[in-house]
Amino acid sequence: MINSVEILRPGIYSSVQDLRRIGYKKYGIPSSGPMDEYSHILVNWVLGKSIFSETIEITFFGPKIKMNFACNIAIYGSSCEAYLNQESIKPGVSIPVEEGDVIDIQKCLDGNRVYLAFSAKMKIDSSFDSVSTYDKIEIGGVSGKKLSKGDIILFEKIKIIRKRKIPQIFNRRYDQSNIIRIIEGFHFNRIENISDIENKAFKISNDSDRMAIRLSENKIKLHKKEEIESTVVNRGCIQIPRGGDPIVLMSDSQSTGGYPILGYVCRVDISKISQIQPNKLLKFKIIPIDESYKLIDFEKRKFKSILGLNLSP
């Protein structure tokens, strides 16, 4: 089959994601997209593609994919066991592949997710301006679902690229830092045990998914336990349900919520928290909103000056 790939093994949860679904939350449609935007953007840069382009997001243990045409690929995110025709491949570099080659991405090692990009464009029908998979209502991706054995993805517009490598300054080790910076939320003044937010660790729950990262081991006590009037919520919003175990909303989260809002994960740390593995510990550090803006500005300037990428949009 011309310009296609075949999924020989789907992995635990592999899905097509992009950054194009913007402005539909008011209709109850999540933005979806990559959990780790940082890695998604960088792997697209390696192949000279727009930051909004699609990738395959691979969670925990990945797919085996047969190539039916020649192009270039790249992987980036968590360090992982990855092979091309049983030969180990490196992350963050452009890799030529030929018809008949087999890509085998196995276990994520220091994080939860790795991203696979192709120099060709996926030929997938869009939903709400995007090919991002949101399987709860079966939109985007291949038949609106995570990848399954036997799925075929068609491609078009093969891009000719020069060889690129992600500079070392962008490399992250997700098992070496567990401090997540947050900004105080609307209902921060309801918290009784404020000192516990920074002084005690939270554990990533096994129940976490693309909708939310669930935390345990450090319950947040509130002066008023009743739920609030439903309000707009976004990716990175930290909610406190009645039980006291915080929930960090992520890519597939709902548009509104009725739980008190402890705070918001600083935008530059949202990708980082998405990569902290289940049962690992994290700590929150409360920072002023001005510092958060400075961190975002620094990140944008780094991408612009070193990679020539404009992240302002």
Side-chain angles (χ1 to χ4, degrees):
M1 189 176 292
I2 297 173
N3 288 12
S4 69
V5 302
E6 179 183 357
I7 307 303
L8 304 179
R9 182 192 70 228
I12 291 177
Y13 196 104
S14 304
S15 65
V16 177
Q17 302 293 339
D18 66 22
L19 288 174
R20 294 191 174 106
R21 190 170 293 140
I22 300 169
Y24 291 98
K25 292 203 79 171
K26 59 187 175 184
Y27 304 117
I29 304 297
S31 301
S32 295
M35 292 279 280
D36 179 358
E37 285 188 5
Y38 180 87
S39 296
H40 170 92
I41 288 169
L42 286 168
V43 78
N44 273 319
W45 174 84
V46 169
L47 299 178
K49 299 179 73 177
S50 161
I51 65 173
F52 300 100
S53 298
E54 70 283 349
T55 62
I56 294 179
E57 179 181 87
I58 293 156
T59 305
F60 300 139
F61 191 95
K64 182 181 284 189
I65 299 173
K66 182 181 178 182
M67 299 295 305
N68 294 319
F69 73 112
C71 67
N72 284 65
I73 64 166
I75 59 170
Y76 202 66
S78 167
S79 59
C80 65
E81 299 167 343
Y83 305 90
L84 177 63
N85 302 328
Q86 301 182 355
E87 295 289 331
S88 180
I89 57 177
K90 294 181 179 180
V93 296
S94 173
I95 302 166
V97 294
E98 301 293 336
E99 181 180 352
D101 284 352
V102 174
I103 305 161
D104 186 0
I105 299 176
Q106 299 181 10
K107 185 179 180 182
C108 291
L109 300 175
D110 67 339
N112 297 318
R113 295 171 179 86
V114 64
Y115 293 82
L116 168 64
F118 300 83
S119 61
K121 179 182 178 181
M122 292 184 189
K123 194 175 180 180
I124 294 176
D125 292 336
S126 67
S127 297
F128 302 99
D129 299 329
S130 165
V131 298
S132 285
T133 308
Y134 180 48
D135 54 10
K136 286 182 173 57
I137 60 171
E138 296 187 358
I139 61 172
V142 180
S143 302
K145 301 177 182 178
K146 66 180 181 179
L147 298 182
S148 298
K149 182 177 179 180
D151 279 349
I152 301 291
I153 302 176
L154 301 178
F155 287 80
E156 58 180 321
K157 298 181 181 177
I158 300 172
K159 188 177 181 68
I160 305 301
I161 61 165
R162 59 187 176 87
K163 191 170 183 179
R164 276 179 168 177
K165 179 180 179 180
I166 295 173
Q168 191 171 357
I169 192 172
F170 289 92
N171 291 349
R172 290 179 171 180
R173 281 295 304 271
Y174 295 103
D175 57 353
Q176 292 184 347
S177 176
N178 66 345
I179 304 297
I180 299 297
R181 292 162 291 194
I182 68 172
I183 305 155
E184 292 181 8
F186 296 127
H187 309 105
F188 191 83
N189 59 359
R190 286 194 184 191
I191 297 169
E192 288 185 6
N193 52 333
I194 289 177
S195 62
D196 288 351
I197 294 173
E198 291 189 295
N199 295 335
K200 292 185 179 180
F202 298 88
K203 180 186 283 188
I204 302 285
S205 169
N206 283 312
D207 293 332
S208 300
D209 55 20
R210 282 183 47 84
M211 185 172 182
I213 294 172
R214 300 175 183 276
L215 306 178
S216 63
E217 303 293 316
N218 182 11
K219 292 186 183 296
I220 301 300
K221 300 174 184 177
L222 303 175
H223 295 298
K224 299 177 181 179
K225 292 188 177 181
E226 67 269 18
E227 294 180 8
I228 60 170
E229 184 177 340
S230 189
T231 187
V232 174
V233 293
N234 291 296
R235 191 166 174 261
C237 178
I238 308 168
Q239 295 182 311
I240 308 297
R242 287 175 179 258
D245 291 324
I247 299 172
V248 183
L249 300 184
M250 296 301 290
S251 298
D252 285 348
S253 68
Q254 71 276 17
S255 301
T256 60
Y259 292 134
I261 297 172
L262 180 157
Y264 301 88
V265 175
C266 181
R267 184 164 180 81
V268 299
D269 281 353
I270 294 177
S271 290
K272 182 177 172 182
I273 195 173
S274 78
Q275 291 282 13
I276 300 177
Q277 295 173 320
N279 298 315
K280 298 286 187 180
L281 300 177
L282 67 82
K283 281 191 171 183
F284 287 138
K285 179 182 179 182
I286 302 168
I287 63 172
I289 193 167
D290 287 350
E291 184 177 341
S292 177
Y293 285 137
K294 288 178 182 177
L295 290 168
I296 294 169
D297 184 60
F298 176 80
E299 190 95 322
K300 287 180 178 179
R301 285 188 282 111
K302 184 173 75 169
F303 273 81
K304 181 68 174 177
S305 63
I306 299 175
L307 303 182
L309 280 179
N310 181 10
L311 300 188
S312 293

